[in-house]
Amino acid sequence: WLAAVGQKPLALALRHAPPRFRRDRDIVLEAVRSNGFALRYASDPLRRDPDVVLEAVQNNGFALGHAMGNCTQDRYIVLVAVQQNGMALQFADEACRNDASVVEAAVRQDPNALQYQQLADEGERRRVVERAVANDGVTLQWAPPHLRDDAAIAELALQQTGTALRFASERLRHDISLMILACEHLPDEAGIPFLLQILSPGLSEDVELWWILNGEGEEATFAEALAQIAWVPLEMEDHTFPALGFFYRYFLP
């Protein structure tokens, strides 16, 4: 068994091993060094063993999900796990998810680990959100609501990808400058139909109407089109878009 579990394809054979082998520390260590997920089939005492768990998460951070006892509270074990796979943060104890160094390491490895942070300090929380969205804009969806309503953070996300606009607060989805920024950073496969889906209710209908009308006139990029928006507090006879009370200068005499 020791020879078998030492080979990666056979490491999970531990699941079929007799109980005495799954209690054997040497066999289990050899198995988790080859495939961290083999920890799942170790005996409960070995799944509580910090040395065994550490070997497992060094191979695959997700093995932390099969650890037992205090191992998910052990800062060093958790740090090693998230450095290998940031998403392993979800298996960490609450105290580790409130540790800025651990959370930053997780987000550095995988920005989507942001969803599992439980940082109590507002400054630390903001820094880790900024790091995440700067590397993957759509992780804005995992930011706390008040930070999804923060224009500076939204700009960081949109500079990475315009598709992040869908995760900004409704207030910011009304912001013309952010809409233009989103247009400038939309991936080719997204295009105008995608943007129309994520604009605030009412606004998408107005922009779609403008786009249809503009197709008969002067050519312009969508960003250029949005740049021509002018806000007015009154209705015009022919060229108003009442949902938000704005009109486009392009259509005015």
Side-chain angles (χ1 to χ4, degrees):
W1 278 98
L2 187 60
V5 298
Q7 302 175 51
K8 188 164 187 176
L10 298 177
L12 296 184
L14 190 65
R15 69 184 297 184
H16 303 297
R20 71 178 186 275
F21 291 120
R22 290 190 279 118
R23 292 194 299 265
D24 188 299
R25 195 169 189 273
D26 290 335
I27 288 178
V28 171
L29 278 171
E30 195 65 29
V32 299
R33 285 173 183 147
S34 177
N35 188 326
F37 275 125
L39 181 66
R40 175 180 180 181
Y41 306 111
S43 66
D44 288 356
L46 291 180
R47 290 169 65 187
R48 296 188 186 96
D49 186 315
D51 294 331
V52 173
V53 173
L54 182 60
E55 291 285 353
V57 300
Q58 284 177 332
N59 177 271
N60 190 320
F62 249 47
L64 187 65
H66 300 300
M68 298 179 69
N70 295 327
C71 290
T72 58
Q73 302 173 23
D74 186 306
R75 185 179 182 278
Y76 181 68
I77 289 176
V78 171
L79 190 57
V80 170
V82 300
Q83 287 173 337
Q84 201 284 326
N85 187 323
M87 296 294 280
L89 185 64
Q90 64 188 287
F91 305 117
D93 181 77
E94 183 177 346
C96 288
R97 286 187 277 155
N98 184 29
D99 185 308
S101 297
V102 172
V103 174
E104 286 176 5
V107 168
R108 189 179 303 115
Q109 202 286 322
D110 186 337
N112 282 291
L114 178 65
Q115 62 190 292
Y116 302 115
Q117 65 82 23
Q118 292 188 5
L119 295 171
D121 183 87
E122 179 61 26
E124 292 176 347
R125 190 186 303 130
R126 183 182 183 88
R127 282 194 298 274
V128 78
V129 168
E130 289 174 342
R131 177 186 289 275
V133 302
N135 284 282
D136 185 349
V138 298
T139 58
L140 182 62
Q141 65 185 299
W142 308 123
H146 70 285
L147 293 181
R148 287 190 283 115
D149 190 46
D150 186 295
I153 287 177
E155 284 180 13
L156 276 177
L158 293 172
Q159 286 167 358
Q160 204 282 322
T161 174
T163 61
L165 183 61
R166 73 170 93 174
F167 303 117
S169 67
E170 183 174 353
R171 180 181 73 85
L172 293 183
R173 292 201 307 274
H174 283 83
D175 188 295
I176 299 303
S177 63
L178 293 181
M179 290 167 59
I180 294 173
L181 185 61
C183 291
E184 294 171 344
H185 293 86
L186 274 178
D188 293 338
E189 64 271 18
I192 302 307
F194 173 85
L195 189 61
L196 292 176
Q197 292 175 14
I198 63 178
L199 296 176
S200 294
L203 183 58
S204 60
E205 296 174 6
D206 294 341
V207 173
E208 187 171 25
L209 177 59
W210 186 91
W211 189 252
I212 291 171
L213 292 173
N214 192 59
E216 300 175 358
E218 178 181 330
E219 291 185 4
T221 66
F222 200 47
E224 290 170 343
L226 291 175
Q228 297 185 62
I229 291 175
W231 295 89
V232 290
L234 51 89
E235 288 191 1
M236 306 292 290
E237 281 189 14
D238 300 318
H239 303 295
T240 55
F241 298 84
L244 286 178
F246 62 76
F247 70 97
Y248 295 90
R249 288 198 289 266
Y250 175 78
F251 292 109
L252 295 180

